[in-house]
Amino acid sequence: MTQNALPPFSLSQLTALDHNPPQLVGLAARTGYSHAGIRLLPAAPGGIAYPLMDDDALLAETLAVMADTGVRIFDLEMIRLDAGFDPARYGRFFEVGQRLGAQCILVAGDDGERARLIDAYGRLCEAARPYGLCCDLEFMPWTAVVGIGDAIEVVSAVRADNAGVLIDALHLDRSGGSATDIARVQREWLHYAQICDGPAERPTTPEGLIHAARCERLLPGEGAIDLDGIWRALPRELPVGVEVPNDIRAPQLGAEGWARAALEAARAIVSRAPTGKN
């Protein structure tokens, strides 16, 4: 990657959650993204997801649109680690991810028993490794992996070569972290980061945090999150997931208008960053 080149940008599923995988890939292609991330399993019970593991026709359509457009799949959402986690349940998930050429799985930690969570995460990494998939643990302030320090503790305990820490700018800010905390994350644990913005005023309840994260994100540069500081601290070549759901503004602009605006705003932030973390 040359000094002035920008990293790959991936259209995250949450930015256009109503688009199924082939539709999302097509949207990414039309609006300038090189990659897309797709949600195969719901973020919450009953939530929207597109289980390609159970729909061969939709999987074939997704692969066909990828071939036609050149857009690749970057990450798969999402596997949640709860008290009863069993990696054997996810064999078909891994197989589909491999067929799609995905690189990473987004992982959430729900088990409040830290030793059991670490064990589950280690077993997930081991199960996903043969499929070429990294397991990126995303800290979120309403989960058992609240902040960046919790994610570092879990990943460092496992010591798997496909383990990682996913830094979402919103969650870093809302969990009380800052750009300076990124120096604590080993370079090999960073596979991608997610960009968006948010207002200076932070929600004070779990319900408020969840709603803001899923429904009210701002375009990069519109809010008060220190995105310039975060991207100065991250590797310049690190792929960027553009995750900017907004239930009011996205419909006003339309899916293409919102996805294009989100990409333009993300590129503006990343282009200002120097080489960054090595």
Side-chain angles (χ1 to χ4, degrees):
M1 182 173 180
T2 64
Q3 179 71 21
N4 295 323
L6 292 178
F9 289 84
S10 178
L11 178 60
S12 295
Q13 178 77 77
L14 197 55
T15 304
L17 188 55
D18 61 343
H19 283 53
N20 69 22
Q23 292 169 340
L24 191 74
V25 170
L27 178 63
R30 293 191 301 273
T31 53
Y33 295 81
S34 61
H35 293 73
I38 57 177
R39 182 165 290 184
L40 301 184
L41 293 171
I48 296 175
Y50 303 97
L52 297 182
M53 304 82 71
D54 307 320
D55 192 332
D56 290 341
L58 195 61
L59 174 58
E61 185 182 355
T62 303
L63 291 167
V65 177
M66 291 170 61
D68 287 344
T69 62
V71 170
R72 291 168 285 172
I73 300 302
F74 191 86
D75 66 316
L76 308 173
E77 300 180 7
M78 58 187 304
I79 290 180
R80 308 198 72 103
L81 303 177
D82 57 19
F85 174 74
D86 180 0
R89 300 173 185 164
Y90 298 93
R92 180 64 178 156
F93 181 103
F94 303 143
E95 291 171 1
V96 167
Q98 186 177 49
R99 285 197 64 188
L100 292 168
Q103 299 180 42
C104 300
I105 301 168
L106 190 154
V107 183
D110 293 332
D111 191 350
E113 173 54 54
R114 184 56 54 90
R116 188 169 56 203
L117 175 65
I118 289 170
D119 177 70
Y121 179 63
R123 288 186 289 125
L124 173 62
C125 289
E126 183 178 1
R129 184 182 295 109
Y131 300 90
L133 293 164
C134 294
C135 301
D136 288 75
L137 184 61
E138 183 176 21
F139 56 92
M140 294 174 264
W142 60 85
T143 68
V145 183
V146 174
I148 194 168
D150 299 294
I152 290 170
E153 178 185 340
V154 174
V155 172
S156 60
V158 168
R159 297 183 179 276
D161 58 6
N162 62 333
V165 174
L166 173 56
I167 296 173
D168 178 312
L170 184 76
H171 300 327
L172 180 66
D173 180 82
R174 276 24 183 174
S175 63
S178 69
T180 58
D181 293 312
I182 295 172
R184 300 164 56 194
V185 183
Q186 295 183 26
R187 174 62 185 91
E188 59 267 28
W189 295 345
L190 293 171
H191 303 123
Y192 70 120
Q194 292 180 329
I195 195 168
C196 71
D197 215 332
E201 185 176 355
R202 299 177 176 92
T204 57
T205 66
E207 295 77 16
L209 288 163
I210 292 170
H211 179 77
R214 295 177 180 170
C215 307
E216 296 179 341
R217 298 194 190 205
L218 302 179
L219 295 174
E222 289 186 338
I225 296 175
D226 181 21
L227 297 179
D228 285 323
I230 292 170
W231 259 267
R232 282 195 301 268
L234 289 168
R236 176 62 181 266
E237 72 278 6
L238 195 71
V240 180
V242 181
E243 186 172 74
V244 195
N246 190 297
D247 286 358
I248 295 176
R249 294 176 62 196
Q252 291 173 345
L253 282 183
E256 290 194 22
W258 185 250
R260 189 173 288 111
L263 178 59
E264 290 174 357
R267 281 178 168 160
I269 297 293
V270 176
S271 66
R272 292 200 293 263
T275 301
K277 185 184 180 80
N278 294 318

